[in-house]
Amino acid sequence: DVQLVESGGDSVQAGGTLRLSCALSGYTYSIQCLGWFRQRPGQEREGVARIGYLDSVVYADSVKGRFTIYKIRDTVVLQMNSLKTEDTGMYYCAARFGSCRDWLGFTYWGQGTQVTVS
């Protein structure tokens, strides 16, 4: 089994910076794809960034150029710069065993961490 725990969410002003971390534990050896998702108020969950084979990364258009995803050992980080009010939402870390070609099929999920930009 795999467990994921997010941290780093906070309330910040527009233009500010946050760094979210996701700690993986349990059986992580077969995980091939890690992602950050968010659910903004009144909207459905959406993919934000994902990292897969050979540290290939994909970003949603809404965050491209502002957010960076990277992995160090069993921690995946989402560096968020130039935050906008529309970035407000609950951010989730997720993992899957298979391909990293889309936003689907993520098997394990963290509890979420709240990001509020005002």
Side-chain angles (χ1 to χ4, degrees):
D1 202 7
V2 176
Q3 296 82 44
L4 303 90
V5 179
E6 304 95 333
S7 62
D10 206 350
S11 297
V12 299
Q13 297 180 3
T17 296
L18 281 177
R19 181 180 293 129
L20 307 183
S21 294
C22 174
L24 281 69
S25 61
Y27 186 74
T28 64
Y29 310 103
S30 61
I31 295 294
Q32 298 178 358
C33 184
L34 295 162
W36 282 97
F37 296 74
R38 69 186 178 189
Q39 187 168 19
R40 295 183 282 181
Q43 302 185 24
E44 296 185 7
R45 185 182 63 198
E46 61 183 327
V48 174
R50 64 181 189 261
I51 182 168
Y53 183 64
L54 297 176
D55 289 339
S56 59
V57 298
V58 176
Y59 298 99
D61 288 341
S62 59
V63 307
K64 193 172 298 182
R66 300 187 297 119
F67 291 11
T68 303
I69 186 172
Y70 61 94
K71 186 178 183 298
I72 301 178
R73 296 179 178 90
D74 284 334
T75 300
V76 59
V77 175
L78 185 68
Q79 176 69 42
M80 305 188 295
N81 299 328
S82 302
L83 283 162
K84 305 175 179 180
T85 56
E86 52 261 46
D87 293 319
T88 294
M90 185 71 72
Y91 283 70
Y92 300 90
C93 181
R96 64 167 294 169
F97 298 117
S99 71
C100 211
R101 294 186 176 93
D102 55 39
W103 301 108
L104 305 177
F106 285 81
T107 305
Y108 300 99
W109 294 84
Q111 82 288 349
T113 185
Q114 178 67 38
V115 172
T116 301
V117 185
S118 61

